[in-house]
């Protein structure tokens, strides 16, 4: 399925960072072993999963029906039509836990490559694994790059005219489809201005956050605008213990140039 470049450019104006380019309903083989747990039991174990892009930003795993413990599936005798084709609806029961309407088994009337492939709602299963590593939020996109690069750019973080951090040795994280994130050493951050919160967020590429902070300036509290990973995934080790701020909600000055605030789902 080819991408209409003219339409893409019209719908996605010029950005300061690369946009996802995979079309919806694109299907590719997944060469990794994929497994998932529910209520302490393995639901499936497969070396033949497929990536399916239900939207351009990242794929979902589809699992061969033959690799699933089918005694755990509860047929709801309902056919539904999706963009990827026709699928039969199932629930899943493991021990005393039952989740209705969360599994769909695709029929022959589906996008090529999806017949007898099964989609689970991600959050219904307790834990997903690629090989022996836990996967958070969604599958890692094979077309996405996430690089953590050390830099000597001069980075200053400001909010409402107040300086919250300034560094000449940041680590820049470049992730396809997202603005560049600037991670700064804690010694270069005004930690006394940051208010710890209980927020924890997972990321398929970086792992689970260890800290989130808000900032109070005057009468305004800016919730959860900074975060840190004390134990990131091995590929993102350079950011361990460092602090990043949402570009969307603070002013970032890089080498004397004020960056425009990007518009993303974290803008407010």
């Amino acid at each position: 399925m080819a991408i209409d470049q003219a339409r893409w450019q019209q719908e996605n104006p010029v950005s300061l960072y690369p946009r996802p380019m995979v079309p919806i309903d694109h299907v590719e083989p997944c060469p990794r072993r994929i497994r998932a747990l529910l209520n302490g039991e393995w639901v499936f174990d497969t070396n033949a999963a497929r990536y399916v892009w239900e939207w351009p930003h990242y794929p979902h795993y589809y699992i061969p029906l033959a690799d699933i413990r089918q005694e755990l599936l509860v047929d709801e005798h309902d056919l539904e039509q999706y963009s990827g084709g026709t699928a039969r609806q199932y629930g899943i029961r493991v021990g005393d836990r039952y989740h209705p309407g969360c599994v769909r088994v695709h029929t022959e009337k589906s996008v090529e490559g999806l017949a007898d492939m099964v989609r689970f709602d991600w959050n219904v299963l307790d834990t997903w694994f690629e090989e022996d590593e836990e996967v958070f939020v969604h599958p890692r996109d094979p077309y996405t790059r996430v690089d953590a690069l050390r830099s000597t750019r001069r980075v200053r973080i400001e909010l409402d005219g107040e300086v919250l951090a300034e560094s000449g040795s940041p680590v820049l994280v470049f992730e396809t489809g997202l603005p560049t994130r600037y991670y700064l050493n804690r010694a270069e951050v005004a930690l006394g201005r940051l208010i710890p919160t209980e927020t924890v967020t997972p990321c398929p590429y970086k792992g689970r956050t260890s800290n989130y902070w808000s900032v109070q300036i005057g009468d305004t509290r800016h919730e959860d605008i900074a975060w840190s990973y004390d134990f990131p995934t091995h590929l993102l080790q350079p950011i361990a213990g460092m602090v990043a701020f949402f570009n969307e909600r603070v002013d970032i000055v890089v080498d004397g140039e004020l960056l425009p605030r990007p518009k993303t789902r974290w803008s407010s």
Side-chain angles (χ1 to χ4, degrees):
M1 181 176 180
I3 298 174
D4 185 332
Q5 292 288 351
R7 178 183 173 189
W8 177 262
Q9 291 175 1
Q10 184 177 31
E11 295 177 352
N12 299 270
V14 175
S15 173
L16 297 176
Y17 51 91
R19 299 293 185 110
M21 294 292 286
V22 182
I24 293 174
D25 292 334
H26 184 64
V27 180
E28 290 284 1
C30 175
R32 310 175 186 206
R33 181 188 186 189
I34 307 300
R35 297 179 291 164
L37 282 167
L38 176 60
N39 205 18
E41 294 194 33
W42 293 107
V43 175
F44 58 80
D45 186 342
T46 183
N47 294 315
R50 293 195 177 104
Y51 294 118
V52 180
W53 279 261
E54 298 173 344
W55 74 320
H57 298 277
Y58 52 80
H60 197 87
Y61 296 127
Y62 279 55
I63 310 300
L65 179 60
D67 291 339
I68 296 168
R69 291 179 55 191
Q70 295 177 45
E71 74 274 12
L72 304 179
L73 302 181
V74 180
D75 192 346
E76 298 178 343
H77 304 288
D78 183 27
L79 286 175
E80 296 286 345
Q81 186 67 38
Y82 300 91
S83 64
T86 303
R88 182 178 294 277
Q89 298 297 117
Y90 286 78
I92 185 168
R93 187 189 307 278
V94 179
D96 59 356
R97 289 174 60 183
Y98 174 60
H99 300 281
C102 61
V103 183
R104 66 186 195 224
V105 180
H106 275 263
T107 69
E108 294 78 7
K109 297 180 179 180
S110 296
V111 168
E112 183 178 356
L114 291 191
D116 291 326
M117 299 298 290
V118 181
R119 182 198 189 279
F120 291 84
D121 289 355
W122 184 273
N123 291 328
V124 164
L125 301 180
D126 294 332
T127 317
W128 293 74
F129 291 89
E130 285 187 349
E131 298 299 335
D132 290 338
E133 292 192 7
E134 185 175 355
V135 184
F136 304 97
V137 187
H138 59 74
R140 300 179 180 120
D141 191 331
Y143 300 135
T144 290
R145 288 196 57 160
V146 184
D147 298 310
L149 305 181
R150 300 187 185 280
S151 177
T152 55
R153 296 201 204 191
R154 195 75 193 172
V155 177
R156 187 170 72 251
I157 310 295
E158 299 180 355
L159 183 60
D160 294 344
E162 296 196 22
V163 176
L164 299 178
E166 189 163 7
S167 175
S169 57
V171 171
L172 277 55
V173 173
F174 301 94
E175 181 175 342
T176 304
L178 293 179
T180 302
R181 300 300 188 192
Y182 299 87
Y183 284 76
L184 312 181
N185 295 305
R186 293 197 185 198
E188 299 167 314
V189 177
L191 290 175
R193 300 299 313 275
L194 305 186
I195 304 167
T197 75
E198 297 299 318
T199 300
V200 176
T201 60
C203 170
Y205 306 102
K206 295 181 282 291
R208 231 184 227 108
T209 55
S210 305
N211 306 95
Y212 255 90
W213 295 274
S214 299
V215 173
Q216 182 84 31
I217 297 182
D219 295 330
T220 303
R221 183 180 171 101
H222 302 268
E223 295 288 347
D224 290 332
I225 65 169
W227 69 90
S228 180
Y229 294 88
D230 287 347
F231 304 100
T233 58
H234 65 280
L235 294 176
L236 274 293
Q237 280 299 311
I239 68 170
M242 304 183 83
V243 179
F245 293 79
F246 279 113
N247 311 42
E248 298 87 337
R249 294 157 60 192
V250 300
D251 294 318
I252 299 182
V253 180
V254 179
D255 290 337
E257 180 180 353
L258 176 64
L259 304 183
R261 292 190 182 186
K263 297 294 184 182
T264 74
R265 61 184 181 274
W266 296 287
S267 292
S268 59

